[in-house]
């Protein structure tokens, strides 16, 4: 069994992947550990796949899988963890923002008995706006979530074999791995390093995508927003009751006065707004249930340098078919029908 598997999700990283690979080999060579590098091409549209094919030809330790389109980093990390055969798995980005020089230190901490080692970046080299927003977000998340997630703990992390197996055993479709890693538990240690700019290329996380990711994170790990809706509703009901009593008392004491339309309208609008928001929250959860019940695979593999890298857990009965597709290049339906002419 290899000691260490390095899992690297890559999406349009053609500019930097060679530099990353060289740096990684330079960091791993001197340690004397046996290792493998599992690259996952997340449907890149630049030359990333070409580069990976080249690396797999030139370096024996390289294995790769390529998706049929962009499925997102979470799916890429999942595919990488499924590929990994090592006793220890390290997840890292391809853009050199996760310095390979830290790997020996992480392995050292693992040898001291930790199942998860997190290398946490400080926020130097990041835009002021983005770091302020991230900090605020993590404060909010910590308040809401049942699992502990810390600011700056990205996906640069080492996991022991049993930690990886636990993460892989979680069946959900919507994967917020920061939460999953924290949920599985085990002894965890983290250390901080100075953040660096990405070596080349650009970040794949625009504002909108980051916002969606944030919402995913908040909702995928708890049902507190639903609880919050109930609390708000109760408080509103109580205050409405108090207000009604006050009006009755006022009428008894002072007689009938002109009714306050402003108050009425305000109340109607406020309550309408809260109802809409609550419906939205419920809708979001219903959407998630819908999504989970479809049980789609997390990704579709276009190409890989090993025989079977399909999304096994959900596809058991489909895997015969996809093997047919891969072997013959036919659609499953026509593959069943196609027979050689007599
Ligand atoms: N990535 C990916 N699929 C995506 C987006 C990103 O596999 O849809 C990879 C990307 O190639 C990189 C890592 O995830 O290796 C982190 O992405 P990026 O550097 O763009 O994120 P940032 O560091 O800005 O948070
Ligand atoms: Mg990056």
């Amino acid at each position: 069994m290899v000691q260490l598997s390095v899992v690297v999700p890559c999406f349009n990283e053609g500019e930097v992947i060679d530099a990353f690979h060289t740096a990684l080999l330079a960091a791993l060579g001197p340690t004397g550990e046996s290792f493998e590098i599992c690259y996952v091409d997340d449907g890149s549209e630049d030359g990333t796949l070409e580069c990976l094919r080249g690396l797999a030809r030139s370096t024996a330790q390289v294995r790769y899988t390529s998706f049929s389109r962009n499925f997102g980093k979470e799916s890429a990390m999942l595919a990488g963890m499924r590929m990994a055969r090592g006793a220890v798995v390290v997840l890292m980005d391809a853009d050199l923002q996760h310095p390979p020089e830290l790997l020996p230190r992480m392995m050292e901490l693992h040898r001291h008995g930790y199942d998860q080692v997190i290398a946490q970046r400080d926020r130097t080299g990041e835009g002021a706006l983005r770091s302020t927003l991230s900090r605020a977000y993590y404060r909010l998340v910590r308040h809401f979530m049942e699992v502990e997630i810390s600011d700056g703990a990205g996906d640069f992390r080492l996991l022991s074999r049993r930690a990886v197996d636990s993460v892989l055993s979680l069946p959900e479709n919507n994967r917020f791995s920061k939460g999953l890693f924290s949920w599985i538990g085990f002894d965890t240690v983290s250390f901080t390093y100075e953040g660096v700019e990405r070596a080349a290329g650009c970040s794949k996380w625009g504002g909108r995508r980051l916002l969606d990711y944030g919402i995913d994170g908040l909702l995928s790990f708890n049902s507190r927003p639903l609880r919050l809706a109930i609390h708000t509703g109760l408080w509103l009901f109580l205050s409405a009751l108090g207000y009604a009593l006050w009006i009755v008392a006022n009428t008894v004491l002072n007689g009938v006065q002109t009714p306050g339309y402003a108050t009425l309208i305000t109340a109607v609008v406020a309550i309408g707004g809260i109802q809409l928001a609550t419906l939205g929250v419920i809708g979001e959860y219903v959407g998630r249930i819908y999504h989970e019940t479809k049980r789609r695979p997390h990704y579709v593999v276009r190409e890989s340098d090993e025989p079977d890298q399909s999304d096994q857990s959900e596809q058991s009965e489909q895997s015969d078919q996809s093997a047919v597709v891969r072997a013959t290049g036919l659609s499953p339906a026509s593959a069943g029908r196609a027979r050689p002419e007599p």
Side-chain angles (χ1 to χ4, degrees):
M1 194 182 195
V2 278
Q3 261 300 314
L4 170 67
S5 301
V6 182
V7 167
V8 191
C10 316
F11 176 49
N12 293 342
E13 304 286 6
E15 285 174 54
V16 66
I17 198 91
D18 282 322
F20 168 80
H21 186 71
T22 317
L24 186 59
L25 289 185
L28 288 178
T31 60
E33 313 250 9
S34 61
F35 65 90
E36 61 174 5
I37 311 174
C38 306
Y39 287 107
V40 182
D41 163 39
D42 186 9
S44 304
E45 281 150 8
D46 61 353
T48 305
L49 180 56
E50 299 295 312
C51 294
L52 294 186
R53 286 193 196 117
L55 292 179
R57 270 195 300 273
S58 64
T59 317
Q61 292 95 333
V62 169
R63 299 159 62 209
Y64 73 93
T65 292
S66 171
F67 290 174
S68 60
R69 64 169 174 85
N70 180 242
F71 280 91
K73 189 181 176 191
E74 295 289 343
S75 302
M77 289 198 298
L78 178 69
M81 284 192 279
R82 284 183 177 163
M83 264 170 103
R85 295 181 291 212
V88 169
V89 175
V90 172
L91 302 165
M92 61 196 298
D93 288 358
D95 56 5
L96 287 170
Q97 274 182 318
H98 296 166
E101 306 84 77
L102 297 178
L103 286 175
R105 184 164 166 203
M106 294 170 87
M107 294 292 283
E108 186 57 38
L109 282 168
H110 169 65
R111 274 191 287 273
H112 283 111
Y114 291 102
D115 284 281
Q116 297 199 49
V117 182
I118 310 171
Q120 205 166 334
R121 73 184 186 292
D122 57 14
R123 293 196 173 273
T124 45
E126 210 176 71
L129 181 68
R130 182 165 166 179
S131 61
T132 316
L133 282 179
S134 316
R135 271 202 206 102
Y137 172 71
Y138 280 103
R139 214 169 300 141
L140 181 77
V141 163
R142 258 202 298 278
H143 181 71
F144 265 113
M145 278 209 202
E146 280 105 43
V147 293
E148 181 68 28
I149 288 184
S150 53
D151 181 19
D155 299 312
F156 190 13
R157 122 184 3 234
L158 175 149
L159 299 162
S160 66
R161 178 41 55 189
R162 57 180 181 176
V164 173
D165 289 343
S166 327
V167 172
L168 290 182
S169 71
L170 302 178
E172 56 246 71
N173 227 304
N174 196 323
R175 300 183 80 85
F176 182 70
S177 46
K178 279 191 187 117
L180 298 182
F181 292 142
S182 164
W183 185 89
I184 59 167
F186 291 121
D187 292 345
T188 304
V189 64
S190 63
F191 63 88
T192 315
Y193 67 92
E194 193 178 315
V196 276
E197 291 280 351
R198 65 165 32 246
C202 56
S203 173
K204 284 29 170 225
W205 300 89
R208 175 87 188 266
R209 211 169 166 181
L210 221 49
L211 184 67
D212 281 346
Y213 183 69
I215 294 177
D216 267 352
L218 261 182
L219 295 191
S220 65
F221 258 87
N222 67 88
S223 41
R224 271 186 215 177
L226 288 176
R227 187 62 55 80
L228 194 71
I230 298 175
H231 287 188
T232 320
L234 276 179
W235 278 115
L236 268 178
F237 175 71
L238 285 181
S239 24
L241 200 69
Y243 189 53
L245 288 178
W246 182 75
I247 288 178
V248 170
N250 201 24
T251 314
V252 169
L253 293 178
N254 304 327
V256 180
Q257 290 173 348
T258 333
Y261 285 110
T263 322
L264 202 65
I265 294 296
T266 316
V268 168
V269 169
I271 293 172
I274 288 166
Q275 278 176 336
L276 270 185
T278 313
L279 269 182
V281 173
I282 296 172
E284 188 66 39
Y285 281 101
V286 173
R288 262 146 221 274
I289 295 170
Y290 172 64
H291 196 72
E292 293 288 336
T293 50
K294 285 194 281 190
R295 308 218 49 77
R296 293 228 174 113
H298 298 91
Y299 50 84
V300 176
V301 173
R302 174 204 305 273
E303 155 180 349
S304 123
D305 59 346
E306 45 222 282
D308 192 21
Q309 267 304 314
S310 55
D311 198 14
Q312 297 107 342
S313 63
E314 294 101 331
Q315 279 193 324
S316 43
E317 84 278 16
Q318 289 168 16
S319 61
D320 304 345
Q321 287 194 339
S322 50
V324 172
V325 181
R326 257 201 304 277
T328 60
L330 297 170
S331 71
S334 60
R337 270 186 269 109
R339 299 245 150 65
E341 294 288 315

